[in-house]
Amino acid sequence: MAPRSQRLDPIIQIKQRQQDEVAQQVAAREASHVEQKARLEALQRYAAEYSSTPEQGATLNPALLANRVAFQSKLQQAVAQQMQIVDRSREATEVERARLMLASRETHVLQKLAASYRTEESRVADKRTQKELDDLAGRRRAPALGAAEGESR
């Protein structure tokens, strides 16, 4: 039967793979979040540029002014919507990071347990080896003592 430490190895490998998968998901979420923030910034810049007052001397008839106001309103809605997307993206990234921390903690605990088992197994093996050496030395010494006692008589 395999030692306890070796029986944990497949479980540790599975947990490590799961941790790696979660790490990849975190990286994907972070990349998505960065992309969504960049879109928000671009929208905000565009809205700021568009909302600046028209050039002096430019005349706007009422229909163009109404179109301009409607477009600015739509831009502001798009900015607000993108802000919500960025917030959700940030929250999803934080959830994935928390999952990664948990997966990492589980893997670490199993690795420490396996290391503890290995240490105990090594200690037991060392004790067994020492006992065998002591027994062997005792067996070698016993005939020598018997011969020495016979000579002294």
Side-chain angles (χ1 to χ4, degrees):
M1 185 170 187
R4 289 188 302 181
S5 62
Q6 289 179 355
R7 288 182 288 188
L8 281 178
D9 288 344
I11 297 169
I12 291 171
Q13 290 172 353
I14 290 168
K15 286 296 185 182
Q16 187 65 47
R17 269 186 258 135
Q18 289 174 345
Q19 181 182 344
D20 293 346
E21 289 170 7
V22 173
Q24 289 174 347
Q25 292 171 354
V26 167
R29 291 281 185 187
E30 286 178 348
S32 173
H33 180 65
V34 167
E35 181 182 325
Q36 296 301 332
K37 280 175 62 175
R39 287 181 183 172
L40 174 62
E41 291 167 0
L43 264 174
Q44 288 172 328
R45 274 194 312 275
Y46 183 68
E49 290 171 6
Y50 194 81
S51 67
S52 63
T53 56
E55 295 179 15
Q56 290 294 347
T59 58
L60 292 177
N61 64 36
L64 287 178
L65 186 58
N67 284 345
R68 183 176 179 84
V69 168
F71 185 69
Q72 285 176 330
S73 174
K74 296 245 188 232
L75 269 176
Q76 291 308 316
Q77 287 175 359
V79 167
Q81 185 178 21
Q82 189 63 29
M83 282 181 177
Q84 290 175 350
I85 291 170
V86 167
D87 287 343
R88 284 194 302 269
S89 172
R90 179 185 43 77
E91 291 169 359
T93 301
E94 289 173 3
V95 166
E96 290 299 321
R97 281 188 189 133
R99 283 186 57 217
L100 178 59
M101 285 178 50
L102 286 174
S104 176
R105 189 174 303 140
E106 288 173 356
T107 303
H108 182 70
V109 165
L110 286 173
Q111 288 170 338
K112 282 182 73 171
L113 181 61
S116 172
Y117 285 168
R118 284 185 187 95
T119 301
E120 179 65 18
E121 290 163 1
S122 175
R123 189 183 63 73
V124 168
D126 289 347
K127 262 184 154 179
R128 187 180 317 115
T129 301
Q130 186 62 47
K131 184 175 181 345
E132 290 171 3
L133 289 174
D134 291 347
D135 289 346
L136 181 61
R139 277 185 261 143
R140 284 185 182 165
R141 190 169 179 200
L145 284 177
E149 285 179 11
E151 289 176 6
S152 62
R153 286 187 191 177

